[in-house]
Amino acid sequence: MAYEPSESTSDCTDTTALALKILVAGGFGVGKTTLVGAVSEIRPLRTEERLSRAGELVDDTGGVDRKSTTTVAMDFGRITIRSGLSLYLFGTPGQDRFWFLWDELSQGALGAVVLADTRRLEHCFPAVDYFEHRAIPFVVAVNCFAGARAYGAHDVSRALDLDPGTPVVLCDARDRDSGKEVLIRLVEHAGRTYAARLFDSVG
């Protein structure tokens, strides 16, 4: 599941031995661009465009009325977890009309982070279903917005009807250390998942 970056996304001075591809997914306005930008050690690539009146007919902006831009292709960033291991982060677009890009972005991905907002928890159902149906390991990261009611990881897991063993973590997408902990949890979870599948295949 190693990801080989192209010249357009690779730093010519990078000597990383292993690079893993991670998706950052979730509903519209949940904090995907914020998370990628917070943890990336390079200037993140963003494909944001301003929301228009024409988009009001197809985009559900309920609960995020102050949001003025949207990702139309992907966000891209990179973070070094430790010597010899880097993660290449691909933030997916959140609106339904851009979901056709998800299949392309998910090719070769080790796993995914599904960001969730407890005020609009139903908006992350499509991402959860997408990764469950494709057997791509993922963690649910609850982005703790100011003023939102606090829920525990167990409550969120039950509300989303997650498969047993799918991690749920609380985070602040604006905080680099918090975001890095989410990514470490994902790498650990994905490693256990693929090891278990390998064991089952030879058992």
Side-chain angles (χ1 to χ4, degrees), residues 37-117:
V39 301
S40 181
E41 61 198 17
I42 62 173
R43 183 177 181 180
L45 168 67
R46 292 172 174 164
T47 58
E48 288 194 308
E49 296 291 342
R50 293 193 63 82
L51 292 171
S52 66
R53 288 190 175 182
E56 292 177 359
L57 300 176
V58 291
D59 294 332
D60 180 7
T61 58
V64 286
D65 301 331
R66 296 181 180 179
K67 187 170 174 60
S68 61
T69 61
T70 184
T71 298
V72 297
M74 68 173 186
D75 300 310
F76 173 79
R78 185 189 70 198
I79 179 174
T80 300
I81 297 297
R82 58 171 171 76
S83 179
L85 175 61
S86 286
L87 304 183
Y88 286 81
L89 310 176
F90 291 79
T92 66
Q95 299 101 307
D96 297 5
R97 58 193 169 111
F98 296 124
W99 281 354
F100 68 91
L101 294 169
W102 285 36
D103 287 340
E104 183 70 23
L105 291 174
S106 65
Q107 292 295 318
L110 174 80
V113 173
V114 176
L115 272 175
D117 177 354

Side-chain angles (χ1 to χ4, degrees), residues 109-193:
L110 174 80
V113 173
V114 176
L115 272 175
D117 177 354
T118 57
R119 302 169 300 179
R120 301 175 292 119
L121 198 58
E122 69 279 3
H123 288 198
C124 71
F125 275 119
V128 169
D129 289 342
Y130 182 91
F131 296 120
E132 283 185 344
H133 290 160
R134 288 161 180 78
I136 297 175
F138 68 96
V139 302
V140 173
V142 180
N143 194 6
C144 298
F145 287 90
R149 181 178 174 183
Y151 291 91
H154 181 67
D155 294 328
V156 173
S157 181
R158 288 180 55 191
L160 293 176
D161 193 26
L162 298 177
D163 290 338
T166 300
V168 176
V169 295
L170 307 182
C171 75
D172 182 345
R174 303 166 299 178
D175 183 77
R176 176 180 172 82
D177 289 338
S178 180
K180 186 174 180 179
E181 283 301 316
V182 170
L183 296 172
I184 291 172
R185 286 288 300 275
L186 171 62
V187 172
E188 292 173 345
H189 172 60
R192 291 192 298 268
T193 300

